[in-house]
Amino acid sequence: MTTGSSSASPALVRRLGTVDAVSIGLGSMIGAGIFASFAPAAAAAGAGLLIGLAIAAVVAFCNATSSAQLAAEHPASGGTYVYGREHLGEWPGFVAGWSFVIGKTASCAAMALTFASYAVPESWQKPVAVLAVLGLVAVNYFGITRTAQLTRIIVIFVLAVLALIVVSGLAGLATDAEPLRDLTANVGAGGWYGVLQSAGLLFFAFAGYARIATLGEEVKNPSVTIPRAILLALSGTLVVYAVVAVVALLTLGPQQLASAAAPLVDVVTASGWFWATPIVRVGAAIAALGALLALITGIGRTSLAMARNHDLPHWFAAVHPQFRVPHRAELALGLAVCVLVLTVDVRAVIGFSSFGVLLYYLVANVAAFTQTSRRYPRALQVLGGLGCVALVVTLPPGAVLAGVIVVFVGAIYRAIRLHLAGRR
């Protein structure tokens, strides 16, 4: 099956090299999640969050190989939306694209609010979050190379802050070996279910490699660059998360880590490096901006692909004649995120986004399983698909219910559109 209508929209321009693509992937994965995700993971699994991290990494690696294999064959904007249409049919592709766009729009609002929570007092947070969204939409509007350049700067700064946290934690351990015994604790009150739940929470730290695949129409030599960039970005992120998780556990212990509102701030505080606290807070704020910037980029490209096939209003399929970006889709996204920031505490219901991402990758694994041109064994796709299902089962029931409802609403929208167009 082909997406024939895509030719009606102007093509984007291939301007990104491997370093640019890896930077965007790292910016998506080494985002605000690393400053916040360890606390709920420790609450679910105790010291077993390290096992959860390993499980999340395995599932993410399997999903990454599927995305890389598919992107090499289909170097077009849209990621799994395109792959699902090509290999499984229009409906699975639509479900993947719809889940990604809606779920990640909620994630954009959460990242904007996370940035503001670190940057300004509570009374200023929503207005500042809106300004952050508008500013990053403007960066995206003026071209993908500017997005890549800003993302690279953000990644370098955040990695420097994380290195500072690791050094402070290790320095603190030199004078107090007591936290070392915490790693011998059991997996926590939740048992192995808690470990799987921690894997579900930590998995989304790695989900940013999808952003690389959605840029397939803007990457040079995509059949080589995209698979390479996906695996490089994922590998680098895994190393960073593993090191930071171990240091946080050693410094704070599972119980204190589970109750921490800002766990990595607590690491430097517990080590006596009080002067570093503002630096870590700035790092968290900047990391949230990096994740938000990459999210806007990926959602805009998936929306463009869906609009080309009329799965979203075709008005969104426009590409700016000078900057060669899907400007209408990104402006609409920015407006939607601003509305969410001002009206909803998205951080309280962001589990819905987790459901959407896992559904998105489930479609990617099934699509990759059907490919005849292969880079990786089918066993990885089977393991990745089973992993996605297992992690969905551990999500809070409310998040799963919200996800099912939103997917159902999207399906009704598409069915009505097809009916009005005279298709069955």
Side-chain angles (χ1 to χ4, degrees):
M1 179 175 297
T2 60
T3 55
S5 61
S6 65
S7 61
S9 174
L12 303 177
V13 179
R14 300 195 184 279
R15 294 172 172 164
L16 302 180
T18 300
V19 174
D20 297 320
V22 171
S23 297
I24 289 173
L26 289 174
S28 303
M29 290 184 276
I30 305 178
I34 196 168
F35 291 89
S37 61
F38 292 136
L49 78 85
L50 293 178
I51 304 173
L53 182 65
I55 294 172
V58 170
V59 176
F61 173 78
C62 294
N63 295 344
T65 60
S66 295
S67 295
Q69 182 172 283
L70 288 160
E73 184 175 337
H74 306 286
S77 290
T80 299
Y81 167 71
V82 173
Y83 314 150
R85 285 178 64 93
E86 293 289 340
H87 291 275
L88 305 175
E90 293 183 3
W91 273 105
F94 173 81
V95 169
W98 180 259
S99 298
F100 181 86
V101 169
I102 300 301
K104 290 303 184 181
T105 298
S107 293
C108 282
M111 288 299 99
L113 288 168
T114 300
F115 159 73
S117 69
Y118 277 98
V120 295
E122 185 175 356
S123 60
W124 286 86
Q125 286 177 10
K126 293 202 171 194
V128 168
V130 168
L131 290 176
V133 172
L134 295 177
L136 295 184
V137 167
V139 171
N140 272 287
Y141 191 96
F142 290 109
I144 189 65
T145 53
R146 287 176 175 80
T147 299
Q149 290 165 1
L150 180 57
T151 301
R152 196 180 307 168
I153 294 170
I154 290 173
V155 167
I156 293 171
F157 178 77
V158 173
L159 287 175
V161 171
L162 293 175
L164 173 66
I165 293 167
V166 169
V167 172
S168 73
L170 294 176
L173 290 178
T175 58
D176 183 5
E178 179 65 25
L180 289 171
R181 287 195 280 272
D182 288 334
L183 289 183
T184 64
N186 60 34
V187 296
W192 284 101
Y193 179 84
V195 170
L196 287 176
Q197 190 172 74
S198 73
L201 294 168
L202 293 167
F203 169 78
F204 304 100
F206 304 112
Y209 52 79
R211 239 69 79 231
I212 300 172
T214 63
L215 301 174
E217 203 171 309
E218 296 163 276
V219 173
K220 302 172 185 175
N221 193 14
S223 63
V224 174
T225 300
I226 293 178
R228 179 189 298 160
I230 286 175
L231 295 179
L232 284 173
L234 177 60
S235 300
T237 300
L238 173 59
V239 171
V240 171
Y241 267 76
V243 170
V244 174
V246 169
V247 169
L249 275 171
L250 289 172
T251 304
L252 302 178
Q255 291 185 345
Q256 186 178 347
L257 180 60
S259 61
L264 299 192
V265 172
D266 289 355
V267 169
V268 296
T269 302
S271 301
W273 291 28
F274 300 102
W275 59 269
T277 298
I279 299 174
V280 176
R281 290 192 174 278
V282 171
I286 297 298
L289 287 182
L292 176 58
L293 180 62
L295 280 167
I296 291 171
T297 304
I299 298 169
R301 274 63 184 175
T302 300
S303 299
L304 170 69
M306 296 182 73
R308 284 170 168 173
N309 293 295
H310 301 277
D311 280 336
L312 287 178
H314 195 62
W315 186 79
F316 294 145
V319 173
H320 195 282
Q322 178 181 352
F323 301 120
R324 312 302 291 179
V325 296
H327 59 296
R328 291 178 181 173
E330 290 186 349
L331 290 175
L333 169 65
L335 177 61
V337 174
C338 288
V339 170
L340 285 176
V341 165
L342 293 173
T343 59
V344 182
D345 183 6
V346 183
R347 289 169 292 185
V349 294
I350 200 61
F352 154 72
S353 178
S354 303
F355 176 89
V357 171
L358 285 166
L359 188 58
Y360 177 87
Y361 283 116
L362 177 61
V363 174
N365 281 302
V366 176
F369 184 86
T370 67
Q371 283 181 283
T372 55
S373 176
R374 309 201 56 78
R375 290 170 175 255
Y376 307 100
R378 283 189 168 88
L380 290 177
Q381 277 94 66
V382 174
L383 183 58
L386 292 175
C388 289
V389 174
L391 295 185
V392 163
V393 171
T394 68
L395 291 175
V400 176
L401 178 61
V404 170
I405 290 173
V406 171
V407 171
F408 183 68
V409 169
I412 291 175
Y413 159 77
R414 187 170 192 270
I416 292 173
R417 183 189 65 77
L418 291 178
H419 177 74
L420 294 177
R423 296 174 55 185
R424 298 294 189 271

